[in-house]
Amino acid sequence: MDLSSKINIKYRGKEITENQIKIIELLLKTKSQNKVAKILNIPTSSVNIQIKRLEKKLGIKIIQSSTSGTVVTEEGQEILEYYQRIKRRMGETSFIACGFISSEIGRMLFDNIIISSFDNILKLYRMGMVKILGIDDPYWSYRLGDPIPVVYDYMVMVYRDKFDVKNLIGVRYSPQRILWNVLKSRGIYFRVRKVVKDPIQGIELVKKGYSLFLNESLVKYVDGNLNIEKPPFYRDTKHTLNFIAIEDEEKVVKTIKKKRKELESRGFEVVE
């Protein structure tokens, strides 16, 4: 998410711009691409092209034609609701902010969380705007405060044709730090060819032939055409996904205990 005056959001791992959101909002109100084009002072064709591109990117239908005009689908309305939730959060003085990996747990524990790259979350934290922080990289957990470990996670191999440790994707501020140490301790030479901020971007790059060590908690986002395999040193990649409570730590601990059964029902190994 962009921390500037404009708010770009990520939905299903894909970026949606504020301009695209505005078009969907106006379509919901006017039910007319012509009226939207007139309001925004752009050609009607531009409205249609923007929506079609977004539909293709997300793999969903955002609008459909009806006797009453252009109707925004349920999926399109969900995007608007998601955007409005984020906009409301930006008006708050303190947030619950999670990295891309810890957000898998954060969504189950808390309402109205901000999900972004650790770079953006760190900005909010240093500005004193975070009350609960979900961190993907265990190193940063202990560097920033007294972490509350919630669940254990592991690393798996994701690849298209053949897993190649000399053609890896690195994910910044992720538990891959542990994985690199495991490879070094075993004398396995590896090479990181490309580095991304978002593990979902990493999954997309696997389709182009790169190999990726990915958190097992994120395998649901892997395309069915890609291969997922546990490495021989799978147990050595065990690590915790942690949260730091800048405010009201006791309340956070109680929330985690309350949600324990739900976490376990989703397949997570909860820290005792």
Side-chain angles (χ1 to χ4, degrees), residues 6-220:
K6 286 193 174 184
I7 303 174
N8 291 349
I9 65 171
K10 279 207 169 182
Y11 187 80
R12 297 189 176 187
K14 306 293 184 181
E15 187 173 274
I16 304 177
T17 67
E18 193 171 44
N19 289 336
Q20 291 169 327
I21 290 291
K22 187 65 177 177
I23 288 173
I24 300 173
E25 284 180 329
L26 290 172
L27 284 171
L28 184 63
K29 292 177 181 178
T30 66
K31 296 184 179 180
S32 167
Q33 294 187 41
N34 289 330
K35 289 181 180 178
V36 171
K38 188 175 181 180
I39 292 170
L40 297 178
N41 195 28
I42 59 175
T44 303
S45 59
S46 295
V47 174
N48 188 263
I49 290 170
Q50 285 278 356
I51 293 296
K52 293 301 180 186
R53 284 177 178 171
L54 191 55
E55 287 181 331
K56 184 177 180 181
K57 182 193 289 188
L58 298 176
I60 61 174
K61 287 291 293 181
I62 294 174
I63 60 171
Q64 59 187 22
S65 298
S66 75
T67 54
S68 60
T70 300
V71 177
V72 177
T73 64
E74 287 186 12
E75 291 90 345
Q77 293 179 48
E78 284 178 9
I79 292 172
L80 292 179
E81 290 170 5
Y82 178 60
Y83 172 80
Q84 290 301 330
R85 288 199 299 271
I86 289 179
K87 200 169 183 179
R88 285 195 295 271
R89 288 176 213 146
M90 294 303 292
E92 296 176 1
T93 56
S94 60
F95 309 100
I96 300 172
C98 297
F100 292 116
I101 301 169
S102 59
S103 69
E104 293 299 302
I105 308 301
R107 279 193 290 251
M108 298 174 63
L109 297 176
F110 313 108
D111 296 323
N112 297 324
I113 67 171
I114 286 180
I115 303 169
S116 188
S117 68
F118 190 73
D119 304 66
N120 283 345
I121 286 177
L122 195 57
K123 290 177 186 176
L124 289 175
Y125 172 79
R126 287 173 172 165
M127 291 166 65
M129 298 176 67
V130 176
K131 58 184 176 183
I132 301 172
L133 188 65
I135 306 179
D136 303 339
D137 184 348
Y139 166 78
W140 277 93
S141 295
Y142 291 95
R143 180 170 176 178
L144 293 179
D146 188 15
I148 304 170
V150 182
V151 301
Y152 292 109
D153 206 356
Y154 299 84
M155 307 297 287
V156 295
M157 303 185 299
V158 182
Y159 59 98
R160 189 184 67 187
D161 303 312
K162 180 181 178 182
F163 195 86
D164 186 358
V165 292
K166 297 179 182 178
N167 192 33
L168 295 173
I169 301 164
V171 181
R172 294 190 67 194
Y173 301 112
S174 80
Q176 283 184 336
R177 182 191 305 274
I178 296 170
L179 196 282
W180 305 149
N181 289 334
V182 170
L183 293 177
K184 289 174 183 177
S185 68
R186 289 171 172 260
I188 300 173
Y189 175 76
F190 65 95
R191 188 165 183 180
V192 178
R193 296 283 185 177
K194 201 170 187 69
V195 178
V196 296
K197 293 182 179 181
D198 183 346
I200 305 302
Q201 291 177 331
I203 294 171
E204 289 298 312
L205 287 172
V206 172
K207 297 176 184 178
K208 298 181 179 181
Y210 291 93
S211 297
L212 173 67
F213 282 108
L214 179 72
N215 273 73
E216 192 169 31
S217 58
L218 300 179
V219 295
K220 66 181 180 182

